Amino acid sequence: MNQWLDERLHISRLNDKFLRKAFPVHHSFFLGEITLFSLIILIITGIVLALSYEPSNSLVINSFDPGTADKQNLIPAAYHSALKINAMPFGDMLRRIHHWTANIMVAAAVIHMMRIYFTGAFKKPREINWWIGMLLLIFTALTAVTGYILPYDNYAYNTVKVVYGIAASVPWVGSWLAQAAFAGNFPGDGIIPRIYGYHIMLLPGILLALTGAHMLIMIKQKHTQPQYAKRIAYKKIVGVPLLTQQTPIMLMLTLLFAGIILLFSAFIPVHPVEFFGPPSTTPIENIKPDWYLLWVFGALAIIPSFEIVLFGGIIGAEFVGAILLPTVVIAAMFAVPMLDRSKDNNYYAENPTNHPVRLAIGTSFMMLLMVMSVAGYKPDLISAGVLTTANANTVLWILIFLVPAVTYFATIGIVRGIRSLREADERESMAHAAAADD
C-alpha cells in the first residue's frame, strides 16, 4: 500500500523535502504558531456559530418576550439569533471561545511582529514576509471588527454607525464609499448580510491566502536562526525535524493553548447582548472599540473638531483621526524593511541591544500607541477627576509627544549602560585570562 501511494503521490519526496524540515528550538518562534492555531479555532467555532445565526435585519417576534397580540415585540432576526445561541446548551460558551480566541490571535500577531522587528528578522531576504505579516495583522483586526457587529444589539448598532460615519468622512468619495461598503445608507436592510459576507467569506479567504503565502515563503527562505546556531553550524539550519519532534511539540502547545482558551471562556464573560438590547436610536455613552483599535479612538477623542473645504471635498477631524493618521502609522510600519541599508542576507536573529536606535524607535512607537489608547479613556479620566474638561486635550497632547521622546532617550541610555557593563566584563575576563597565562 505504501509503495502504491508513493508511486502516485511521491510521499517519500514529501517526507524528505518538507516533513523533515528543521525548526529552530526557541520559545519566541511559537508566537506565529499560536496565531495559526487561533485562526483554526476561529474557523471551526465560526462554522458552528453560523449554523444557528440568521444574517438578516428583518424584524421577527422575540420568542423570549413576544409581547401582546396588540403590540408584538419585534426585533431584528440577527439579534434574535444571537439570543437563541446564548440560550442553547454551551452556546454562550461557544461565543466566548470565539471571542477570546480572536483577541488572543490579534495579541499573538502583534507580539510576533514585535519579535520580528526587534530581532531584525524583517531584513533581506524576508521583506515580503514582513509586508504579508502586516496585511495579516490588518485583516485580522478587520475580521474581528466585523465579528462584533454581527449580534446587532444596540452596541453593535452604534458601532456600525460610527464605522459608517468614518467611511463617509473620506473627502469627495465618502458618501459613495460608505454606501458601497455597507450596501446602502445607514441604517439599511443590507447592512448585516453585507457584513456577514465580509466576516465569513471575504476576510477569512484573504486570511487563509495570506497565511498560506506567509508559510510557503517561510519554508522557502527558512527561519531566522537564534544566535546559538551561528556557533554550532554557521549558515546551516539548526533545529529539530518537523514530523518526529516539532509536531509533538506543536500538539502539546495546541492542547495547552486550547486549555487556556477554555479557562478564559469559562470564567470571563463576553459581550452581553441581552444587556444592550436590540438596536435603537438611544446612544450608548462612552462606546469604545476593542483594545487593538483603541489608539484610533484616542486620536478621535483629542483632535479638535474642524472642517476644511478643498475642491468641493470636506476634510474633517473624523477623517484625519480615523483614516489619515492610521494610514500614516501603517505606512511607516510597512516602510520598516526599506529603511534597512544592509546588502547581505540576514540569517540570524539580532540582539536588540546591538541596534539601539532601532530598539529605541520601536519602544517609543509602542509608548505612542499606548498613550493614544489612554486618550481613548478621556471621558472616563474626566469623570474620575484625573483630568478636567478644560485641560484634558492639552495634557494628553503633551503626553503624546513627551512620553515617546523620554522613552527614546531612556532606551538609548539603558542600552549604553548595558554595553558599558558588557565591555567591563570582557575587559575583566581578558585580564583574568592574561593573568592565568602568566
Side-chain angles (χ1 to χ4, degrees), residues 210-262:
L210 290 172
T211 301
H214 189 73
M215 294 180 68
L216 285 174
I217 293 174
M218 182 269 294
I219 291 172
K220 175 66 177 176
Q221 295 179 338
K222 310 295 188 296
H223 287 87
T224 48
Q225 296 284 288
Q227 280 293 320
Y228 69 79
K230 185 187 294 186
R231 299 187 296 270
I232 297 173
Y234 184 62
K235 290 189 179 181
K236 299 291 184 182
I237 302 299
V238 177
V240 296
L242 170 62
L243 186 61
T244 56
Q245 296 186 42
Q246 180 67 14
T247 299
I249 295 173
M250 292 171 63
L251 289 174
M252 287 189 291
L253 178 63
T254 303
L255 293 173
L256 178 62
F257 177 69
I260 293 172
I261 292 291
L262 288 172

Side-chain angles (χ1 to χ4, degrees), residues 323-371:
I323 295 180
L324 185 60
L325 178 62
T327 300
V328 172
V329 171
I330 292 170
M333 295 174 71
F334 268 99
V336 165
M338 294 183 286
L339 300 177
D340 177 54
R341 299 302 179 187
S342 59
K343 297 181 179 179
D344 297 329
N345 288 348
N346 182 34
Y347 295 102
Y348 298 97
E350 298 171 343
N351 186 335
T353 59
N354 291 337
H355 301 269
V357 173
R358 185 178 72 206
L359 177 61
I361 291 174
T363 53
S364 59
F365 177 76
M366 290 166 53
M367 292 305 299
L368 171 65
L369 296 185
M370 290 180 66
V371 174

